[in-house]
Amino acid sequence: MPPPALVAIAMAQALATGSPAAGSPAPLLPGVIDSPDTEVRSAFSPDGRCVLWGSIGAPKTAWRILQTCREGADWSKPAAVSFDGPDNDFDPAFSPDGRTVYFFSNRPGGRGGDDLYAVDRDPATGTFGAPRNLGPRFNTPGDEWAPFPTADGKLIFSSDGHGGLGHQDLFEGGLAGEAPARNLGPGVNGPLDDFDATLPADGATLVFASGDLKAETRVALHAARRGEDGRFGPRTVLAAPVNCSEAINNGPAVDPKRPDVLYYSAFCPTLGPGRMDIFAVPVPTR
């Protein structure tokens, strides 16, 4: 059997047309997902049938959530999900059972800025219900982004309204109960923006974006291991083939059907067709 890293590269390349060099980031479904627009943060349904992602492009300038689903051997034409509205909707993520999608939105009726929402989904039909605001334990008058539901019933997200060490900090809160969300601490969060987190299959390594979003200077993907005390850290910058952009790399995500592959978003014009594209690389080992 080939080494896991080579299997992961083959998986990544199988999702793309063309044959990128071994180890280089492979675009995710060019012509379906990766396009001349901006694509950020993919979300894979646990049954492998559908992919959601955030998109920014003409003719709508607002941020949208698009979806494609398998139709036999092909993928459907991308279309906005039913709960996507005229305001900004972005950063989708499936619950582990595929019955809920979490996202952020600045739609009216929130607590201010970008708020976190959840929407029910029927895995059998793929239909969505009505979005619901996650309320004051998670949302503030500031901005909350990139919710990621964990297998043990928590939600990891970023916020600039809960206080913290920098602009956007990463937090973790239980989806049940009344306990407030907790800051993930200095092993993860720094003085700038820390956001867009995911947990690969081992459940013990947090992969997230960190940098200065306002200045658009070297936002890179980092990783931090969970210690025996339950906290993550210290963080390290991920090495090549991750972080192909000199400016912004963000939106890390994993596919339950392909646990050895990490997906992320970046502007890498020699590798993808758009302003930002979603790329696949082997899950980094540390």
Side-chain angles (χ1 to χ4, degrees):
M1 173 179 276
L6 294 181
V7 173
I9 292 169
M11 287 176 168
Q13 292 178 349
L15 291 173
T17 58
S19 299
S24 67
L28 175 59
L29 295 176
V32 178
I33 293 179
D34 282 334
S35 76
D37 294 334
T38 295
E39 288 87 33
V40 178
R41 202 185 188 220
S42 51
F44 301 86
S45 64
D47 61 10
R49 292 171 54 195
C50 297
V51 185
L52 307 180
W53 68 97
S55 176
I56 308 171
K60 182 181 176 183
T61 57
W63 299 11
R64 304 175 295 168
I65 296 175
L66 301 184
Q67 176 177 246
T68 182
C69 294
R70 288 187 182 274
E71 294 182 343
D74 298 321
W75 291 86
S76 63
K77 181 179 179 181
V81 292
S82 62
F83 59 86
D84 186 80
D87 301 287
N88 288 352
D89 298 313
F90 219 63
D91 279 353
F94 282 94
S95 62
D97 63 5
R99 295 183 176 276
T100 307
V101 169
Y102 296 88
F103 66 103
F104 84 69
S105 177
N106 67 349
R107 62 184 59 199
R111 292 181 56 81
D114 297 320
D115 274 12
L116 303 182
Y117 286 80
V119 58
D120 292 333
R121 175 181 179 270
D122 184 338
T125 63
T127 56
F128 297 98
R132 58 186 182 277
N133 189 290
L134 292 188
R137 282 200 306 121
F138 294 98
N139 293 316
T140 72
D143 291 325
E144 281 71 45
W145 297 341
F148 175 77
T150 66
D152 60 351
K154 296 183 177 65
L155 193 73
I156 297 174
F157 65 100
S158 72
S159 173
D160 64 4
H162 282 278
L165 303 174
H167 301 155
Q168 284 278 324
D169 270 20
L170 283 162
F171 293 81
E172 182 180 64
L175 286 165
E178 300 298 328
R182 70 176 183 91
N183 190 292
L184 290 187
V188 171
N189 293 312
L192 299 176
D193 295 296
D194 301 291
F195 61 106
D196 279 10
T198 193
L199 288 171
D202 68 0
T205 303
L206 189 76
V207 178
F208 60 98
S210 182
D212 191 340
L213 278 174
K214 186 174 182 180
E216 296 188 355
T217 55
R218 197 47 178 165
V219 177
L221 295 189
H222 293 62
R225 292 281 295 177
R226 192 191 295 270
E228 293 183 358
D229 61 357
R231 291 192 171 269
F232 292 100
R235 70 191 211 166
T236 59
V237 180
L238 291 178
V242 189
N243 292 319
C244 65
S245 173
E246 293 298 320
I248 295 180
N249 306 266
N250 63 4
V254 291
D255 179 355
K257 296 291 188 182
R258 297 181 174 89
D260 294 327
V261 179
L262 176 72
Y263 301 86
Y264 73 100
S265 304
F267 172 59
C268 297
T270 62
L271 300 174
R275 294 189 292 271
M276 288 188 76
D277 295 297
I278 297 171
F279 297 99
V281 296
V283 166
T285 58
R286 301 182 60 236

